[in-house]
Amino acid sequence: FLLFAGRSLKAPAFDFFYDLYNQSCSKLNCSGLDFMHYRQFSNPYSYEDLAKHQGFVHIPYQVSTMSTFEQYRMNVPLFFPTVRLLIEWHQQHNILREKTWNGVHHRGRISNGSAISAHPLQRHLPDPNDDTDVESLKYWLPMADFYRWPQVILFDSVDELIEKMKTTNLKEVSQAMKNHNENEKRRILNLWERVLLKVAKYNKHFS
């Protein structure tokens, strides 16, 4: 398994996860699990290098990254913390600091709100940049890419992560992801075909 926790191998905000993982392994049998951080690969590495692994375990630093799209399209099973667990870890360790500009600009503290006020029609919604507000996180985080895709494997504790790494039928998950990706490809191509045909009607050379 490959671990994706932070942008670098030694991102301090993610040290807590290694502690939790080691604690869980002291209780559970982890001897059959090969687990390494993706930054332990020598650069450059290829998609083939990544795809050789059984699954990817993510401790997110952001709600949308291109690499997670690429990995999902590779049909490699993805493991993510539940919304509840991600909120807990973020509020304790500020791991989603790149979710907001405040979090990026003021790396030492959790974002406490937007710099500009919401549009009057949107003021009934929680502030998406207030990561001190649990209700805001509960409202917005389920819209993250990895919570919208089918077949993503969610864990609500590190103990549960280890159990799911050991017991999940990953070949079945990968096949289900492949089926979904093939359907998505057809759907997206059809959408673009309709858009381009509409645009082409305004081209005098189109017939």
Side-chain angles (χ1 to χ4, degrees):
F1 292 87
L2 276 185
L3 173 65
F4 293 80
R7 288 183 176 273
S8 64
L9 180 58
K10 296 182 179 180
F14 294 86
D15 286 346
F16 78 94
F17 175 75
Y18 299 103
D19 293 337
L20 291 175
Y21 185 78
N22 290 332
Q23 290 170 22
S24 292
C25 281
S26 68
K27 298 180 294 181
L28 306 170
N29 181 13
C30 296
S31 59
L33 297 178
D34 291 323
F35 201 46
M36 64 177 283
H37 196 285
Y38 79 104
R39 287 296 188 189
Q40 291 176 271
F41 272 126
S42 56
N43 281 322
Y45 55 81
S46 67
Y47 288 116
E48 288 78 9
D49 293 327
L50 297 178
K52 291 175 183 176
H53 293 80
Q54 297 181 76
F56 301 151
V57 177
H58 282 265
I59 314 301
Y61 64 88
Q62 173 59 284
V63 293
S64 182
T65 61
M66 186 54 65
S67 60
T68 55
F69 278 90
E70 294 169 347
Q71 292 164 16
Y72 193 92
R73 298 300 183 227
M74 292 162 65
N75 309 319
V76 178
L78 305 179
F79 295 77
F80 278 87
T82 61
V83 171
R84 186 208 66 79
L85 185 59
L86 185 56
I87 290 173
E88 177 184 307
W89 284 352
H90 179 44
Q91 293 217 307
Q92 291 176 353
H93 307 286
N94 195 21
I95 60 173
L96 288 172
R97 63 184 62 178
E98 294 192 31
K99 182 175 80 68
T100 67
W101 172 243
N102 281 342
V104 173
H105 189 60
H106 304 289
R107 296 183 68 83
R109 68 171 187 259
I110 197 165
S111 176
N112 60 2
S114 299
I116 57 176
S117 59
H119 186 279
L121 295 179
Q122 302 297 319
R123 287 178 183 161
H124 64 289
L125 296 175
D127 184 343
N129 293 307
D130 187 356
D131 287 357
T132 65
D133 179 7
V134 172
E135 294 308 312
S136 174
L137 292 169
K138 286 180 180 178
Y139 182 86
W140 293 108
L141 276 183
M143 301 180 196
D145 295 327
F146 39 84
Y147 293 132
R148 310 290 287 180
W149 297 330
Q151 308 304 324
V152 170
I153 302 163
L154 301 179
F155 57 91
D156 201 45
S157 67
V158 178
D159 284 5
E160 185 177 27
L161 166 64
I162 291 170
E163 287 298 328
K164 288 190 172 182
M165 290 167 68
K166 290 162 59 176
T167 61
T168 302
N169 188 325
L170 298 174
K171 289 184 178 180
E172 282 188 4
V173 173
S174 179
Q175 183 60 52
M177 293 171 71
K178 181 179 180 181
N179 294 341
H180 174 75
N181 283 327
E182 289 173 349
N183 290 335
E184 276 293 274
K185 181 178 180 180
R186 286 191 291 269
R187 183 184 70 84
I188 292 168
L189 287 174
N190 287 336
L191 284 174
W192 275 109
E193 181 180 25
R194 293 200 295 271
V195 169
L196 293 174
L197 286 174
K198 287 181 181 179
V199 172
K201 291 178 181 178
Y202 298 96
N203 186 331
K204 62 182 179 181
H205 302 294
F206 175 74
S207 60

